[in-house]
């Protein structure tokens, strides 16, 4: 077996979200490095059954800033009705037969 074809496999410390640590072997980093987890089996919704937003790199804040003015709530749309003068109102025809009768 060639020495240069395989990565260095060494012991590291994994730090869970609640601060607990355990030793494992990995190709991550160097001998003795610590791997700090953002999501693990104690916080992931698949194991806990609860949803928690994790904002890594400001992606959630960027999304909220970009779409802050958009809302799908019906109450906000109904809260500020726009007044239209009667002369500006348009009569809509719903059927083709009523359009033929007028012609």
């Amino acid at each position: 077996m060639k020495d240069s074809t395989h990565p260095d496999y060494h012991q590291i410390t994994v730090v869970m979200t609640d601060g607990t640590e355990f030793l494992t072997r990995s190709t991550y980093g160097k001998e003795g490095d610590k791997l700090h987890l953002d999501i693990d089996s104690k916080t992931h919704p698949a194991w806990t059954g609860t949803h928690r937003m994790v904002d890594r790199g400001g992606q959630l804040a960027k999304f909220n800033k970009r779409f802050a003015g958009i809302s799908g709530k019906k109450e906000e749309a109904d809260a500020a009705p726009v007044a239209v003068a009667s002369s500006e109102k348009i009569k809509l025809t719903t059927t083709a037969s009523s359009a033929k009768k007028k012609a």
Side-chain angles (χ1 to χ4, degrees), residues 23-53:
L23 292 175
T24 189
R25 295 182 54 80
S26 175
T27 57
Y28 172 81
K30 299 178 184 119
E31 179 78 29
D33 279 354
K34 288 188 175 187
L35 175 63
H36 294 271
L37 300 178
D38 291 330
I39 299 176
D40 59 15
S41 61
K42 295 177 182 178
T43 59
H44 195 280
W47 285 277
T48 62
T50 59
H51 184 69
R52 186 180 96 180
M53 296 300 290

Side-chain angles (χ1 to χ4, degrees), residues 4 15 30 42 47 49 61-63 71 79 97-98:
S4 62
V15 182
K30 299 178 184 119
K42 295 177 182 178
W47 285 277
K62 183 179 175 183
F63 177 85
S71 176
S97 62
S98 63

Side-chain angles (χ1 to χ4, degrees), residues 44-98:
H44 195 280
W47 285 277
T48 62
T50 59
H51 184 69
R52 186 180 96 180
M53 296 300 290
V54 177
D55 189 13
R56 296 195 63 193
Q59 292 297 315
L60 184 61
K62 183 179 175 183
F63 177 85
N64 288 337
K65 180 180 177 186
R66 185 173 179 186
F67 296 105
I70 297 175
S71 176
K73 295 182 180 178
K74 189 175 180 180
E75 295 84 26
E76 291 179 9
D78 294 339
V82 178
V84 177
S86 61
S87 61
E88 294 177 5
K89 292 182 181 177
I90 299 172
K91 184 176 180 181
L92 298 176
T93 306
T94 57
T95 61
S97 62
S98 63

